[in-house]
Amino acid sequence: MKKILIYRFSAMGDVIMLLPVLKGLLAANKEVEIYLLTRKFLFPFFKDIENLHLIEADLKGKHKGVSGLFSLYKEIKEEVAPDIVIDLHQVLRSYLLNFFFRLSGLPVKSFDKGTKEKKQQVKSKRKKALPSTIDRYELAFENAGFNVERPNTPVLKQELDQALFEKLLDEADPQIKLVGIAPFAQHQQKVWGIDKVEQLISFSNENLKANFILFGGGKTEIDQLNSLAQKFSNVFVAAKHFKLDSEIGLIGELNAMISMDSANMHMAALCGIPTISIWGGTHSSLGFAPYMQPRENIIEYSGDKIACRPCSVYGNKKCIYNDVRCMKYVEVEQVYNQLKAILTKESN
């Protein structure tokens, strides 16, 4: 068996987007074993995949700094003995690991992030569709001599914890549609707003029959979700009973997901769930659109009231108007209409 060492330990969404490529690589190369070096909290997304092994990158602990990375290199070299290294991260940490592995005589390959063309597109405000991160991952393996048979969805699967599911929904009608909403993102420029989400639920309750499950993490987000859920009898907070390692099974039960440009968007899409994604300061053309979702499920303002989108690649640049008006211009009715179309189609 040929052993491929891969590392990617950045934002959750970037790492999750590796999943279809790794599965496609293993499907097309039966003689290959993959060793994925990433952060431990991301392990649930890659478990129970034949010939895929996980290695923890403890970058804030024992693998911190140059000496920690050198220890990590030695551990991998001795315990795994990879045949080739593919750097899918491309930052200082990974450059150091590359240096160590190259010194030992191993071939090291990398991938093209497309940083320059993404920044140029942000600067010019063009909306030309660039290769997706998944496309770039796949190209890196092809350039290293490996074929990839990219799979259809669902790519991400987990058995539902039925006991937790029943606790979560309490006495709600389990026969009606189940809609997930993930209102948050890492940066404020990618957030539609809790007030908009509340309006959407109110409007939907007047016209549809559905239970809503809210997704978020951390005390601040969960407090906001709990406050929102208290206003409706058909709204529930996933974090009340589910942790990340069991949320995958819950997402797999949804009839639709509404999400910002965030990891939850990628999770739902990889689970094969119709996913409505709402975009503000970022833009779907930059390569982060959800896997195998139709264009109509991507909602972003494209009118002539503003000409500043995208304002950044990752949504980390402060809004020039200080109010993220690109999100304000995404109407509740627009999101509702797409949700209704999805649920109606599923009913037929």
Side-chain angles (χ1 to χ4, degrees), residues 16 27 34-35 51 58 71 75 90 116 140-141 144 171 179 199 208 228 257-258 279 291 308 321:
I16 295 171
I34 293 175
Y35 290 80
N51 291 332
D58 185 9
S71 296
E75 290 171 19
Q90 294 284 284
K116 185 176 180 180
F141 289 112
E171 296 182 2
V179 177
Q199 292 172 40
L208 295 173
L228 179 58
M257 169 67 95
I258 300 168
W279 300 69
Y291 188 61
C308 52
Y321 300 106

Side-chain angles (χ1 to χ4, degrees), residues 218-341:
K219 186 179 186 306
T220 301
E221 290 184 6
I222 292 172
D223 285 347
Q224 291 184 67
L225 297 181
N226 283 332
S227 295
L228 179 58
Q230 288 173 4
K231 300 177 181 181
F232 302 94
S233 61
N234 63 329
V235 177
F236 310 90
V237 179
K240 186 174 182 181
H241 296 290
F242 285 79
K243 295 182 179 180
L244 179 63
D245 60 357
S246 58
E247 269 190 8
I248 299 167
L250 176 60
I251 290 174
E253 295 296 307
L254 300 176
N255 298 102
M257 169 67 95
I258 300 168
S259 177
M260 308 303 105
D261 169 16
S262 69
N264 280 295
M265 172 187 76
H266 295 297
M267 287 171 63
L270 290 169
C271 285
I273 304 305
T275 303
I276 299 170
S277 54
I278 304 174
W279 300 69
T282 54
H283 198 281
S284 59
S285 66
L286 293 174
F288 304 106
Y291 188 61
M292 297 186 74
Q293 290 292 317
R295 184 64 185 83
E296 58 265 26
N297 283 355
I298 294 174
I299 296 180
E300 51 195 342
Y301 180 73
S302 57
D304 57 7
K305 293 181 181 179
I306 53 173
C308 52
R309 292 191 66 236
C311 61
S312 65
V313 176
Y314 304 108
N316 54 350
K317 183 178 179 181
K318 187 177 179 181
C319 173
I320 60 174
Y321 300 106
N322 295 316
D323 61 2
V324 196
R325 60 186 60 181
C326 55
M327 277 297 197
K328 292 180 181 293
Y329 292 151
V330 174
E331 301 291 342
V332 169
E333 187 174 4
Q334 186 180 3
V335 180
Y336 166 77
N337 286 339
Q338 190 56 29
L339 175 62
K340 181 181 178 182

